[in-house]
């Protein structure tokens, strides 16, 4: 079994990350497999260099080890470009020229919280006549690529995935609408990078927080279209604060460095994480 812990080096690890890392690590250990560490650093506007070493330091302190050299997604642009080109050739993505402001004015809220996308895209650029599309592409320096979710759904037919927490899940391809597959500013998206890398690293069990559950509908669809193997999933509950809100990177009081500075041992942090599980939402 291969699992992975995939933090973004945009802040310090907190108690919720520690729990996610333990789940990935313990699960791999239990099955005689290995856990990989992958830095999800495609959003170079938010990444800060010092967090790579800080994350590795925190994990070592917790007693968590990983196999091999951690991958950095920012080094893998060419692989993501190739996957994007394939989707483009299949006609399942289209260029989108809308600004955030335009979308905010027209969009509807999604039926389920998706943790990543916010609003559902109203599909404005999906119906753009081919000539206009070509003109806009020639004029604009850059644009986003969006999934044509309806078309992808037709192409893929019925899909399911196996989730440790929820059993067999039927894919709803249009749940998140026409999500961004490549952002205008960075040329890739979380959805594309995560799917390509989980396959490239032969991850067989994806463990991650329940906030990313809705995204898995998109991921399974992308795996099918890109001919990639489908891993198993385990969307585990999130660590919440006393008010029942999930921890955010800005909640410094739950950061591992803060807990360490208070004199807590890794064993006590693990206890605290387990305790916090009682406040978990799912
Ligand atoms: N990079 C994501 C995070 O820090 C995790 C993504 C995933 O596990 O698929 O929340």
């Amino acid at each position: 079994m291969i699992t992975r812990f995939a933090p973004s080096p945009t802040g310090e690890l907190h108690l919720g990350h520690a729990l996610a890392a333990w789940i990935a690590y313990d699960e791999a250990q239990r099955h005689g497999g290995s856990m990989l560490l992958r830095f999800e650093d495609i959003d170079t506007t938010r990444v800060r260099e010092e967090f790579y070493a800080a994350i590795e330091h925190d994990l070592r302190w917790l007693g968590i080890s990983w196999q091999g050299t951690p991958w950095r997604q920012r080094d893998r642009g060419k692989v993501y470009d190739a996957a994007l080109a394939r989707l483009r050739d299949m006609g399942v993505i289209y260029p989108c020229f809308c600004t955030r402001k335009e979308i905010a004015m027209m969009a509807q809220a999604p039926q389920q919280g998706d943790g990543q996308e916010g609003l559902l895209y109203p599909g404005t650029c999906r119906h753009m006549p081919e000539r206009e599309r070509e003109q806009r592409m020639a004029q604009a320096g850059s644009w986003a690529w969006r999934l044509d979710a309806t078309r992808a759904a037709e192409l893929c037919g019925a899909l399911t995935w196996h989730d440790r927490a929820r059993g067999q899940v039927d894919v709803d391809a249009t749940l998140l609408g026409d999500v961004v597959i490549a952002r205008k500013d960075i040329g890739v998206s979380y959805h594309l990078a995560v799917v390509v890398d989980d396959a490239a690293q032969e991850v067989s069990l994806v463990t991650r927080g329940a906030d990313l559950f809705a995204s898995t509908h998109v991921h399974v669809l992308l795996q099918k279209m890109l001919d990639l193997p489908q891993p198993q999933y385990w969307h585990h509950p999130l660590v919440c604060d006393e008010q029942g809100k999930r921890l955010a990177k800005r909640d410094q009081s739950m950061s591992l460095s803060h807990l360490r500075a208070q004199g807590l041992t890794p064993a006590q942090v693990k206890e605290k994480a387990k305790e916090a599980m009682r406040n978990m939402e799912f």
Side-chain angles (χ1 to χ4, degrees):
M1 169 178 292
I2 300 181
T3 63
R4 82 313 193 261
F5 177 57
S8 295
T10 54
E12 294 197 306
L13 294 189
H14 57 52
L15 200 59
H17 295 110
L19 189 77
W22 265 314
I23 289 175
Y25 180 69
D26 289 350
E27 202 54 29
Q29 292 283 302
R30 210 183 3 248
H31 291 87
S34 46
M35 187 197 86
L36 309 174
L37 174 61
R38 183 171 75 223
F39 288 111
E40 301 214 321
D41 55 358
I42 52 171
D43 189 349
T44 44
T45 60
R46 292 176 56 225
V47 164
R48 293 228 323 257
E49 201 51 44
E50 64 267 32
F51 291 127
Y52 294 94
I55 289 172
E56 291 195 12
H57 179 75
D58 280 346
L59 291 174
R60 284 200 189 95
W61 179 71
L62 292 173
I64 291 176
S65 56
W66 54 92
Q67 175 97 28
T69 307
W71 280 25
R72 293 186 176 204
Q73 289 189 321
R74 72 206 285 180
D75 298 336
R76 295 184 39 78
K78 286 206 175 82
V79 187
Y80 307 141
D81 288 349
L84 192 69
R86 189 160 165 188
L87 295 172
R88 203 173 51 216
D89 291 347
M90 292 171 75
V92 291
I93 55 176
Y94 60 87
C96 172
F97 307 95
C98 295
T99 61
R100 266 170 205 260
K101 207 168 158 190
E102 283 164 348
I103 297 169
M105 279 163 65
M106 296 176 295
Q108 315 157 343
Q111 290 157 336
Q112 275 188 32
D114 65 48
Q116 295 275 330
E117 307 296 331
L119 299 170
L120 279 189
Y121 179 63
T124 322
C125 291
R126 190 194 316 133
H127 307 294
M128 191 177 281
E130 201 49 46
R131 266 194 71 166
E132 187 184 341
R133 192 170 270 170
E134 277 163 22
Q135 271 172 7
R136 298 279 300 258
M137 284 169 86
Q139 283 161 7
S142 53
W143 52 85
W145 287 95
R146 284 186 181 274
L147 179 70
D148 186 335
T150 311
R151 194 147 180 184
E154 281 164 12
L155 202 73
C156 293
L159 295 171
T160 59
W161 84 79
H162 180 75
D163 200 293
R164 287 255 181 116
R166 302 204 191 176
Q168 180 167 309
V169 183
D170 293 328
V171 170
D172 177 353
T174 56
L175 181 70
L176 299 183
D178 289 359
V179 288
V180 171
I181 296 297
R183 274 168 47 173
K184 179 181 167 163
D185 55 347
I186 56 174
V188 61
S189 67
Y190 159 66
H191 298 305
L192 187 65
V194 85
V195 160
V196 167
D197 285 351
D198 282 338
Q201 297 192 284
E202 296 179 22
V203 172
S204 53
L205 175 69
V206 170
T207 61
R208 61 183 176 206
D211 54 332
L212 290 166
F213 184 82
S215 295
T216 305
H217 291 268
V218 177
H219 299 179
V220 171
L221 200 65
L222 288 175
Q223 283 151 4
K224 176 79 180 169
M225 292 190 293
L226 292 169
D227 246 334
L228 300 173
Q230 188 192 107
Q232 279 199 16
Y233 287 90
W234 181 7
H235 292 92
H236 55 76
L238 301 169
V239 172
C240 294
D241 62 16
E242 274 118 39
Q243 282 80 47
K245 264 184 58 199
R246 85 176 161 111
L247 299 183
K249 285 196 171 137
R250 58 184 173 277
D251 300 332
Q252 293 299 323
S253 62
M254 286 295 167
S255 77
L256 295 182
S257 64
H258 181 82
L259 297 174
R260 188 163 53 233
Q262 282 190 320
L264 265 73
T265 63
Q268 286 170 324
V269 171
K270 199 164 192 172
E271 265 320 297
K272 204 172 165 67
K274 280 191 191 154
E275 205 176 284
M277 276 170 79
R278 288 191 217 110
N279 300 330
M280 278 175 165
E281 58 173 27
F282 187 46

